[in-house]
Amino acid sequence: MNAQEYSEIFKALSHPLRLKIACGLMHKGKCNVNTMVERLKVSQSLISQHLNILKNCGVIKGYREGNIIWYKLENELALKLLKNIELNLCDE
């Protein structure tokens, strides 16, 4: 990875809601939008906007099963960063 790629990942994880989404995916393994809306208490459209940012920089990927899209943390660097900060943001 080069400096630009690192920078994009840091930028994507720098927003509190995106950090919570990524942390939740790290702990849960996979999740869908409806569950994120319930747990984070924000609108579906706001979750979708932040998921798109995380997807576009390669932090997460979405997988379709029937009518449901499941999201998974797919980036090793993001996973290492989240593990190293040792914060449990999922309970907030």
Side-chain angles (χ1 to χ4, degrees):
M1 281 189 120
N2 62 35
Q4 181 64 34
E5 292 169 317
Y6 279 105
S7 175
E8 292 300 317
I9 291 170
F10 286 130
K11 205 180 327 178
L13 293 174
S14 69
H15 189 279
L17 186 56
R18 291 193 295 269
L19 189 56
K20 286 181 183 181
I21 290 169
C23 179
L25 291 172
M26 178 184 70
H27 288 291
K28 197 165 168 75
K30 68 178 185 177
C31 195
N32 63 47
V33 173
N34 291 333
T35 303
M36 290 180 203
V37 167
E38 288 174 22
R39 287 187 170 240
L40 297 171
K41 309 274 191 266
V42 295
S43 70
Q44 183 271 330
S45 62
L46 185 59
I47 292 285
S48 293
Q49 289 172 4
H50 286 289
L51 287 172
N52 279 329
I53 292 168
L54 292 168
K55 282 191 302 186
N56 288 340
C57 73
V59 172
I60 65 170
K61 287 189 181 178
Y63 302 92
R64 182 177 291 277
E65 286 182 11
N67 292 335
I68 299 174
I69 298 176
W70 294 96
Y71 293 94
K72 243 182 127 172
L73 189 62
E74 291 283 328
N75 186 286
E76 285 299 316
L77 174 61
L79 183 60
K80 287 178 187 175
L81 290 170
L82 292 170
K83 284 181 178 178
N84 284 327
I85 60 173
E86 297 181 19
L87 294 176
N88 190 355
L89 300 173
C90 302
D91 294 336
E92 289 184 6

